[in-house]
Amino acid sequence: MNFRKAKQADAERCLEIYDAVSDWEAINGKQSGWERGYYPTMETVQQALDCDDLYVLEDELDDKSIVVACGRINHDQPYYYNYFSWQTSVLDSEALVLHTFAVDPKLQRRGYGKTFMGFYEKMALDKACKVLRLDTIILNQKSQAMYKKLGFKTL
């Protein structure tokens, strides 16, 4: 498996993953709150590429390298983070934040989410960040279960 910064050539594949999550939720019930054509969109992907903070996890499947997961990683803490009582107060530069993280629904339950999160953790250590932050909506029980299993605390 290879974790790396996304390239322009990955844009379509990242959007495919986001749309696949939206399609899966349309059938199986909303979890992320994402909606195809509304959010995330190609504009979301392109903005992350332009800011150079979109990352992908690729794996060899059927003798072909394919992006299996993607997410945006930066120091930007959304305004609503100010409403939480964080265990540790830090400057933006001391927090690494994961946004729009997704694993292709057809490829879930293969450890890709855990692997991506491991790279995310290592990146935080390499950048001397004091905390990792991410958010999901309350309905996203699948992601919350994985995050809890990986040691994240819920606020």
Side-chain angles (χ1 to χ4, degrees), residues 37-95:
Y38 178 70
Y39 183 84
T41 63
M42 183 53 81
E43 184 178 331
T44 310
V45 173
Q46 192 59 55
Q47 182 181 30
L49 282 166
D50 291 347
C51 290
D52 200 29
D53 58 12
L54 183 63
Y55 290 82
V56 296
L57 179 66
E58 358 174 67
D59 198 8
E60 291 290 323
L61 299 172
D62 300 323
D63 297 320
K64 193 168 126 183
S65 185
I66 184 169
V67 171
V68 297
C70 56
R72 188 173 188 181
I73 302 173
N74 57 37
H75 298 284
D76 299 340
Q77 298 186 76
Y79 74 90
Y80 51 84
Y81 279 21
N82 292 323
Y83 301 122
F84 295 106
S85 297
W86 297 101
Q87 191 173 6
T88 306
S89 294
V90 296
L91 301 170
D92 284 354
S93 62
E94 298 172 317

Side-chain angles (χ1 to χ4, degrees), residues 129-147:
C129 291
K130 295 180 180 177
V131 297
L132 293 171
R133 292 195 172 146
L134 51 85
D135 57 79
T136 65
I137 65 170
I138 195 101
L139 298 174
N140 199 337
Q141 296 299 309
K142 272 176 69 175
S143 291
Q144 288 179 30
M146 180 185 76
Y147 299 144

